[in-house]
Amino acid sequence: MTTSDGLPDYAIGPLLLRAHRRAAEAFNSALTTLDIQGRHFGVLFALSRFGPMSQVRLAAHTGADKSAVVRMVDDLQSRGYVERAASPDDRRAAVITLTAAGKDAFHRAETIAGAVADDLLVGFDSEDRAHLKRLLVRFVTDPPE
């Protein structure tokens, strides 16, 4: 089906990919001062928002595969931003926790994220921004019918 903008519905994939690349490049560039990337921010964000969790839960929250989460946690641990501890419920699993330095890094990255979002959405008024965010949240959380 083609919509009123002349684009077929299947253009959503390429458009989302281009949007992701543009946002990721801008965010990664801005995060260089903290020696992290957007993928690390996703881990810090999940831990800040939901508290300590296993690497399996981090994978679910970030959308990354388990091996990528292991590498991201390794990176963040080497910077002193997270700690691994044995899970009290499953000795095969580790619980990942933000350190004080990790909380500080997250807050600094959060400020950077806000500035990058403002730059990326400069042509959008507050209603457009809210609408875009609602649609994206719905897109990633609604189960397919």
Side-chain angles (χ1 to χ4, degrees):
M1 171 184 243
T2 300
T3 55
S4 62
D5 58 12
L7 292 173
D9 284 347
Y10 61 79
I12 189 71
L15 287 169
L16 286 171
L17 180 60
R18 286 180 57 199
H20 166 74
R21 284 186 179 151
R22 180 174 173 224
E25 287 171 6
F27 194 36
N28 284 333
S29 177
L31 286 173
T32 58
T33 60
L34 298 179
D35 192 31
I36 62 172
Q37 296 178 337
R39 61 194 178 97
H40 299 111
F41 178 81
V43 171
L44 297 174
F45 176 80
L47 292 171
S48 178
R49 184 159 187 209
F50 302 108
M53 67 181 75
S54 69
Q55 291 177 168
V56 171
R57 280 193 58 215
L58 271 173
H61 281 292
T62 61
D65 65 54
K66 293 174 192 172
S67 61
V69 169
V70 169
R71 288 189 303 276
M72 289 185 284
V73 169
D74 286 346
D75 292 345
L76 292 169
Q77 187 173 21
S78 73
R79 290 163 176 81
Y81 294 161
V82 300
E83 293 177 333
R84 279 186 175 100
S87 169
D89 302 325
D90 182 354
R91 65 183 180 163
R92 298 166 298 165
V95 174
I96 312 305
T97 306
L98 273 178
T99 64
K103 290 175 186 176
D104 179 60
F106 171 70
H107 292 301
R108 289 185 288 144
E110 192 175 35
T111 299
I112 291 168
V116 169
D118 284 343
D119 287 346
L120 290 169
L121 300 173
V122 72
F124 292 65
D125 63 24
S126 60
E127 188 176 313
D128 288 339
R129 290 174 185 218
H131 187 67
L132 176 61
K133 191 167 39 173
R134 276 192 309 275
L135 289 173
L136 288 171
V137 167
R138 192 167 116 201
F139 184 80
V140 300
T141 59
D142 278 357
E145 294 183 25

